[in-house]
Amino acid sequence: MEDTRFSPIPASLLPQLSVHVTLLTNFSSPTRDPYDWTVGTHGIRISFTLHSRRYGATYLPSVAEEQEWTKDETLISLMRKAGWNGSSSGWLKAWKDGKGELVRYEGKAVGLEYKEWKEWDEWVGKNVTS
């Protein structure tokens, strides 16, 4: 509601909104294997250093499946999200050269429609004191 990175949402659009939060669990130890995860089950967080620059980014468990990406497409996209701008065919070399690490995790998504949120917000306003 107050995120300054985005333009305010007009009040007329509020009833059409929903919010979803993914609770992250079951983090693995870092691995050097970029393929040690399952599409649709795991979120992945990558990190690597290349030419003295540190890169890192994450995708929630739902992203690759929703985008219908393969593991390679997901990893290329995630490296780009991290700021790497090399060729798509050179991502694995960049990963190995940068001594890339991957952490996989699972998540449980929960969400509310605007009406449900509004009811909760009104209940909080009546029942919770500062």
Side-chain angles (χ1 to χ4, degrees):
M1 295 298 222
E2 298 175 20
D3 191 330
T4 58
R5 296 174 297 167
F6 304 101
S7 299
I9 297 168
S12 62
L13 294 181
L14 289 177
Q16 300 172 37
L17 298 181
S18 63
V19 63
H20 295 263
V21 176
T22 303
L23 307 172
L24 308 180
T25 62
N26 300 327
F27 286 81
S28 72
S29 297
T31 178
R32 298 284 311 276
D33 181 358
Y35 295 105
D36 187 22
W37 58 285
T38 303
V39 172
T41 300
H42 297 114
I44 54 174
R45 184 182 73 214
I46 61 165
S47 60
F48 58 101
T49 302
L50 195 58
H51 307 299
S52 301
R53 180 173 173 204
R54 182 98 173 128
Y55 297 86
T58 191
Y59 275 147
L60 295 174
S62 60
V63 172
E65 186 173 45
E66 287 174 358
Q67 298 299 317
E68 299 180 350
W69 286 338
T70 64
K71 284 185 176 184
D72 284 334
E73 291 168 328
T74 303
L75 290 162
I76 292 167
S77 177
L78 192 52
M79 288 180 72
R80 294 219 185 285
K81 180 180 178 185
W84 176 76
N85 60 5
S87 70
S88 293
S89 61
W91 81 267
L92 190 55
K93 181 179 182 335
W95 176 267
K96 289 178 180 176
D97 290 350
K99 297 181 178 60
E101 286 188 341
L102 178 139
V103 172
R104 69 177 182 271
Y105 55 87
E106 296 174 22
K108 171 70 174 159
V110 294
L112 287 176
E113 298 296 322
Y114 176 76
K115 181 182 176 197
E116 295 169 303
W117 175 84
K118 189 69 175 155
E119 290 169 359
W120 173 84
D121 186 54
E122 289 171 1
W123 180 88
V124 169
K126 292 176 187 173
N127 296 289
V128 177
T129 58
S130 309

